[in-house]
Amino acid sequence: AQSVAQPEDQVNVAEGNPLTVKCTYSVSGNPYLFWYVQYPNRGLQFLLKYITGDNLVKGSYGFEAEFNKSQTSFHLKKPSALVSDSALYFCAVRDRMDSSYKLIFGSGTRLLVRP
Amino acid sequence: DAGVTQSPTHLIKTRGQHVTLRCSPISGHKSVSWYQQVLGQGPQFIFQYYEKEERGRGNFPDRFSARQFPNYSSELNVNALLLGDSALYLCASSLADLITDTQYFGPGTRLTVL
């Protein structure tokens, strides 16, 4: 069965420090992987995606993510956190074998960046 | 350019009633998907439509139905509302029906069932 795990409910980091939000996945075939961010009372905003090619993907607002096939992980990273990065982050996977192309989301990780 | 728009923003209904939620995709996008996000959880897939045809359906009861119109806008209908239907309903649009397409989400409709 397809699934996404975000093992941390919350990540706390000081402004200016690097941040990592973890994500692992399970799909039957090769995955397509996505990160979205959700601010309070808002929809989801797309950050980045991995389709194929370079394992390091760069996205919006200085975020990047590293695809690791052997560890089935797709961790989100940023070299220097901003207070404005505080939000709810969702990892999602799409299975190439699924004709509906639906996104399967993790449970989300709340990022809190303190000044 | 305008993003995905959804209406209404908020909705309060009572058990047993029916609700219709509306979504307009990004201009040029032909695929629309619906997701349900219960508080504290990630979004769960309900439907995907492309060129007015249903392309996928999630694990939701038949009380949930949807359609896509010739202008690619979409409606999600829920009949016989239950308390458990209270959630944020998200619409997402994508350019076409390719597995590599990015889905762009609207702000959602907050449905409260009393």
Side-chain angles (χ1 to χ4, degrees):
Chain A
Q2 308 154 18
S3 65
V4 175
Q6 294 182 243
E8 302 154 317
D9 290 336
Q10 182 161 314
V11 170
N12 298 303
V13 64
E15 187 174 31
N17 283 359
L19 69 88
T20 299
V21 182
K22 296 180 180 177
C23 171
T24 59
Y25 65 88
S26 174
V27 295
S28 54
N30 290 323
Y32 294 114
L33 296 155
F34 302 77
W35 276 101
Y36 287 85
V37 60
Q38 187 174 37
Y39 294 96
N41 300 314
R42 302 278 294 276
L44 276 69
Q45 293 181 27
F46 169 72
L47 285 177
L48 51 81
K49 67 181 178 183
Y50 171 80
I51 301 299
T52 188
D54 194 348
N55 289 343
L56 185 63
V57 179
K58 294 189 182 297
S60 306
Y61 313 118
F63 284 93
E64 58 189 27
E66 186 169 10
F67 171 64
N68 187 317
K69 187 173 183 178
S70 62
Q71 296 186 4
T72 61
S73 67
F74 190 55
H75 300 331
L76 181 70
K77 300 180 180 183
K78 188 174 183 181
S80 178
L82 299 173
V83 172
S84 58
D85 292 331
S86 298
L88 189 57
Y89 290 80
F90 289 97
C91 179
V93 67
R94 183 181 283 154
D95 190 341
R96 298 187 189 196
M97 307 303 291
D98 187 342
S99 61
S100 75
Y101 302 164
K102 65 177 178 285
L103 287 171
I104 298 166
F105 286 88
S107 55
T109 298
R110 187 165 302 281
L111 174 65
L112 183 60
V113 182
R114 59 185 184 276
Chain B
D1 285 341
V4 178
T5 59
Q6 293 186 244
S7 63
T9 305
H10 296 88
L11 205 51
I12 299 176
K13 293 285 188 179
T14 57
R15 282 176 296 174
Q17 285 189 311
H18 163 271
V19 68
T20 297
L21 310 180
R22 295 178 175 84
C23 170
S24 291
I26 293 170
S27 178
H29 284 195
K30 298 181 177 181
S31 180
V32 169
S33 298
W34 287 94
Y35 291 81
Q36 180 196 64
Q37 186 180 16
V38 174
L39 195 62
Q41 298 181 19
Q44 296 227 332
F45 173 76
I46 310 175
F47 288 109
Q48 183 204 0
Y49 277 80
Y50 175 67
E51 292 283 11
K52 303 184 292 295
E53 291 189 2
E54 183 182 304
R55 290 304 185 98
R57 183 186 184 111
N59 189 24
F60 281 80
D62 291 344
R63 299 185 296 108
F64 288 77
S65 63
R67 55 179 175 168
Q68 187 178 32
F69 300 99
N71 66 353
Y72 303 110
S73 67
S74 178
E75 283 183 354
L76 175 70
N77 295 283
V78 187
N79 292 324
L81 285 167
L82 302 174
L83 296 179
D85 294 331
S86 295
L88 180 67
Y89 287 85
L90 296 164
C91 174
S93 76
S94 56
L95 194 60
D97 193 28
L98 300 176
I99 195 170
T100 54
D101 284 344
T102 297
Q103 292 187 359
Y104 296 92
F105 285 80
T109 293
R110 173 75 61 187
L111 172 64
T112 302
V113 182
L114 302 177

